[in-house]
């Protein structure tokens, strides 16, 4: 019977403003043993995402406009994806009316795809980055300068790429790396923070 609760500083802490749980939203089919977690992916997003987390490899997810939650209006959660869509946990990002995500569906080394948030068709998504035969796609971020993603080969050779207007290019990093971690503030900011690790003799 876990719940996600919205609390604002200064409010009565005894008052539970529940925004995502099994009892309040029975139409979602959340099991009482699940952990319904609602979160904001980026602080400038206009949607709140709700994950139905549990011990399974993949989760179900729903979404709702953030303004309805913040203005205490009736919350209407809409289905986003199911565990059968094999969306990698916590990989999704909102980009205006797009939801961009990493998936293992039909791609054991992963691929990056996108759907329209108004009509999310996870059976026929737009594939932004195809699966690589000998590299695993690790992470990606969305910025004002496009989509950046990383790959790793055999666990020891990591690469960084940028995708803009369906054109992909590799970005060289200062040293040979075994792992590249990337982060960004969001789609309105052009910067990408890059951290590299490598093997030393």
């Amino acid at each position: 019977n876990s719940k996600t609760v919205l609390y604002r500083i200064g409010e009565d802490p005894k008052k539970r403003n529940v925004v995502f749980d099994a009892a309040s939203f029975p139409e979602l089919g959340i099991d009482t043993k699940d952990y319904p977690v609602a979160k904001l992916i980026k602080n400038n997003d206009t949607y709140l995402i709700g994950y139905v987390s549990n011990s399974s490899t993949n989760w179900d997810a729903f979404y709702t406009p953030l303004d309805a939650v913040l203005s205490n209006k009736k919350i209407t959660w809409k289905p986003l994806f199911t565990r059968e869509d094999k969306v990698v946990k916590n990989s999704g990002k909102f980009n205006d009316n797009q939801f961009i995500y990493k998936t293992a569906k039909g791609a054991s080394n992963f691929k990056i795809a996108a759907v329209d948030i108004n009509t999310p068709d996870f059976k026929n998504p737009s594939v932004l980055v195809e699966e690589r035969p000998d590299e695993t796609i690790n992470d990606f971020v969305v910025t004002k300068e496009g989509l950046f993603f990383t790959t790793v080969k055999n666990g020891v050779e990591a690469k960084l790429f940028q995708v803009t207007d369906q054109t992909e290019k590799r970005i060289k990093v200062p040293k040979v790396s075994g792992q590249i971690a990337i982060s960004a503030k969001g789609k309105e900011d052009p910067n990408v923070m890059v951290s590299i690790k490598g093997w030393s003799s």
Side-chain angles (χ1 to χ4, degrees):
N1 295 308
S2 299
K3 307 174 187 293
T4 292
V5 175
L6 172 63
Y7 173 74
R8 293 183 175 91
I9 302 299
E11 291 181 341
D12 181 358
K14 295 180 181 179
K15 180 183 177 182
R16 297 296 186 194
N17 183 11
V18 178
V19 298
F20 194 48
D21 74 331
S24 304
F25 304 93
E27 69 278 7
L28 302 183
I30 301 173
D31 193 283
T32 54
K33 296 187 291 293
D34 291 332
Y35 290 88
V37 180
K39 62 186 291 187
L40 201 59
I41 299 174
K42 292 289 184 183
N43 59 12
N44 57 355
D45 281 342
T46 56
Y47 296 103
L48 189 69
I49 190 167
Y51 294 109
V52 182
S53 64
N54 46 44
S55 59
S56 64
T57 304
N58 302 107
W59 297 340
D60 295 335
F62 302 85
Y63 73 103
T64 190
L66 180 62
D67 60 357
V69 178
L70 298 180
S71 60
N72 295 319
K73 295 179 181 177
K74 177 179 170 58
I75 300 173
T76 302
W77 289 100
K78 295 181 180 180
L80 185 57
F81 58 80
T82 68
R83 63 191 66 182
E84 285 74 25
D85 296 313
K86 295 186 177 181
V87 175
V88 176
K89 295 176 181 178
N90 295 311
S91 73
K93 296 169 178 60
F94 291 107
N95 182 38
D96 295 326
N97 286 326
Q98 274 189 325
F99 182 74
I100 304 175
Y101 61 99
K102 187 172 82 167
T103 178
K105 190 172 185 178
S108 58
N109 286 340
F110 305 112
K111 60 186 175 184
I112 300 173
V115 295
D116 187 318
I117 196 65
N118 297 307
T119 54
D121 183 0
F122 284 83
K123 289 182 173 58
N124 300 287
S126 299
V127 178
L128 306 181
V129 180
E130 296 281 0
E131 178 188 22
R132 266 109 162 114
D134 58 350
E135 295 175 297
T136 300
I137 296 175
N138 263 6
D139 196 11
F140 75 91
V141 295
V142 179
T143 76
K144 190 176 181 180
E145 297 298 323
L147 183 148
F148 293 81
F149 71 96
T150 63
T151 65
V152 65
K153 182 177 181 179
N154 299 327
V156 296
E157 183 184 353
K159 299 175 185 176
L160 174 63
F161 298 88
Q162 179 185 15
V163 179
T164 52
D165 299 323
Q166 298 182 330
T167 300
E168 181 183 303
K169 70 174 182 180
R170 182 180 175 185
I171 298 175
K172 289 187 177 180
V173 292
K175 297 180 179 180
V176 176
S177 304
Q179 179 183 343
I180 300 176
I182 54 176
S183 61
K185 292 181 179 179
K187 57 186 174 59
E188 304 300 330
D189 193 280
N191 299 304
V192 179
M193 288 152 278
V194 182
S195 173
I196 62 175
K197 292 181 181 179
W199 299 92
S200 58
S201 56

